[in-house]
Amino acid sequence: MRLTRRSVLAGAAASAVAGCSEPGGTAPAAPGTPVAASSAPPSVNAVNPDATSPDELIFTPGRTVRPAAAPASYGEQLLAVARRYQSPTPDNRAHGTHPGAVVLVAVDGEITVHGATGDAVRYGHGPVELPVARRVPMRPDSVFDLASITKVFTALLVLRQVDAGAVAVDAPVARYLPQFTGGRKGEVTVSMLLAHTSGLPVGLELAKARDRAAVLGTPLLPGAVPGGIMRYSSLGLMVLGQLVEKVAGRPLASLVADELTGPLGLRETGFKPLEWLSAADRETRLVATDARSNRGLLRGVVHDQVADAMGGVAPHAGLFGTAADLAVLGQMLINGGEYNGVRILKEDTVRSMLTNVNAGKQAIDADRPGRTATHGLGVELDQTWFMGKLARPLTFGHTGFTGTSLLVDPARRVTLVLLTNRAHPNWTWGNPDKPRAAVADALAPAL
């Protein structure tokens, strides 16, 4: 029998989903705004595992991310899958897909798996493979270039303005940014940018990265119909970055810190990590990306060249962070927009965020032939190409070019974070989607 959003199914404690842990509108609610906690104790998993629509999700505010009481039996299996892709196999070419990885699983907030494998730095500029003594081992608290997961943070900022009544998702972008004109761009809505159906090209020319007017002035692709085919577009998020800055009256970095990372307690997520990590942490925790470019070994400097040219702060890429911090982001949405007594989004806004707004549409993505157009407001939905057997109607998340990924099944209250350094030293050496799907496949039977 399918449960409705008003029904409650009391499941077993999260420890029953066994694991291994390693330490490691009205205006939007202001940081610190109290929210009533769930009446259920943290050990009770109130869940509707059969939910297939956002209206059927059961939110229980008050759950926080915390270590599980006992290690999960499947923890080493997940790490073994990630470890397999460190070595050459027929699937990942001669060099392996990534030098190292961090895997984290949280069930109803309880961290049942949090482990690391391989190296955070294995190559020097060239690339030249470093001797073992000079490599930097991966740690559960390693700090990664999150790449396009930054887009989720930008989307959350936009949705906070929706909660404030300052932005309407179905409104034309030109209402807020009059410079966003030309051709059929007047038909492009905020929702289309969040769902990648605007018709904008994938990215911005590097030479124009510092030209804010060029972001807004870029024409739609020839023949593109706003709201038609889904084409993944980083440029669309760049436009949204300018929109939210204008509406909120503050720069992006300040908005991320004041409205998201600060209230959520994400102390190790931010732009420009070389400015906030200690010297010791830079040496032991920063994960490297490219080692072959004319920029030298990239470590603590954003891999995306457009974001780098923008000064390291951009709406589509540039954030650095840890697996534990991303787990908090996932739990906040599982909670229905609340975390640790602070409301980030209204529950109805979270339901809207997790609604497929691209029903009946097609997707074009030469890099990922398995991608479908199924998409929420700022997050991918039900995508087997990186979610594997965890893909379900409400499973959502996002990936990053550097090898990062966040996957959340809100119906079963499960968060899976897989962070790899597949762009180190050369992003062409392997396909990061294969280990993403393989780790998800290994977790699926336990759920």
Side-chain angles (χ1 to χ4, degrees), residues 157 245 249-261 271 313:
L157 292 175
E245 284 183 327
R250 285 180 287 156
L252 182 70
S254 173
L255 289 167
V256 169
D258 295 344
E259 299 201 8
L260 296 176
T261 60
F271 298 102
V313 179

Side-chain angles (χ1 to χ4, degrees), residues 256-282:
V256 169
D258 295 344
E259 299 201 8
L260 296 176
T261 60
L264 289 171
L266 309 185
R267 297 181 178 85
E268 296 184 314
T269 298
F271 298 102
K272 300 182 178 181
L274 296 179
E275 296 181 359
W276 45 268
L277 274 178
S278 69
D281 282 344
R282 290 177 210 159

Side-chain angles (χ1 to χ4, degrees), residues 212-224:
R212 291 173 65 88
V215 172
L216 301 184
T218 301
L220 302 184
L221 291 165

Side-chain angles (χ1 to χ4, degrees), residues 29-52:
T33 302
V35 174
S38 168
S39 58
S43 62
V44 176
N45 186 13
V47 62
N48 177 4
D50 299 319
T52 58

Side-chain angles (χ1 to χ4, degrees), residues 79-164:
L79 286 168
V81 173
R83 191 176 301 120
R84 185 171 78 229
Y85 286 87
Q86 293 168 201
S87 303
T89 72
D91 282 344
N92 57 11
R93 306 186 185 183
H95 305 280
T97 303
H98 52 249
V102 173
V103 181
L104 183 149
V105 177
V107 182
D108 204 25
E110 291 196 344
I111 299 175
T112 59
V113 178
H114 191 190
T117 178
D119 298 316
V121 182
R122 184 171 176 174
Y123 297 86
H125 182 231
V128 177
E129 191 165 21
L130 299 172
V132 174
R134 292 182 55 198
R135 299 176 190 175
V136 178
M138 195 71 80
R139 298 168 30 152
D141 64 351
S142 287
V143 177
F144 285 76
D145 179 341
L146 298 178
S148 283
I149 292 179
T150 303
K151 293 178 171 71
V152 178
F153 287 78
T154 301
L156 291 172
L157 292 175
V158 172
L159 293 173
R160 277 181 60 81
Q161 293 303 319
V162 172
D163 277 354

Side-chain angles (χ1 to χ4, degrees), residues 92-93 95-97 292 401 422-431:
N92 57 11
R93 306 186 185 183
H95 305 280
T97 303
R292 64 195 171 98
F401 186 85
R422 77 93 177 203
H424 178 62
N426 183 337
W427 62 266
T428 68
W429 281 6
N431 178 357

Side-chain angles (χ1 to χ4, degrees), residues 391-406:
R392 283 150 52 93
L394 294 176
T395 304
F396 69 89
H398 213 286
T399 62
F401 186 85
T402 53
T404 56
S405 59
L406 169 67

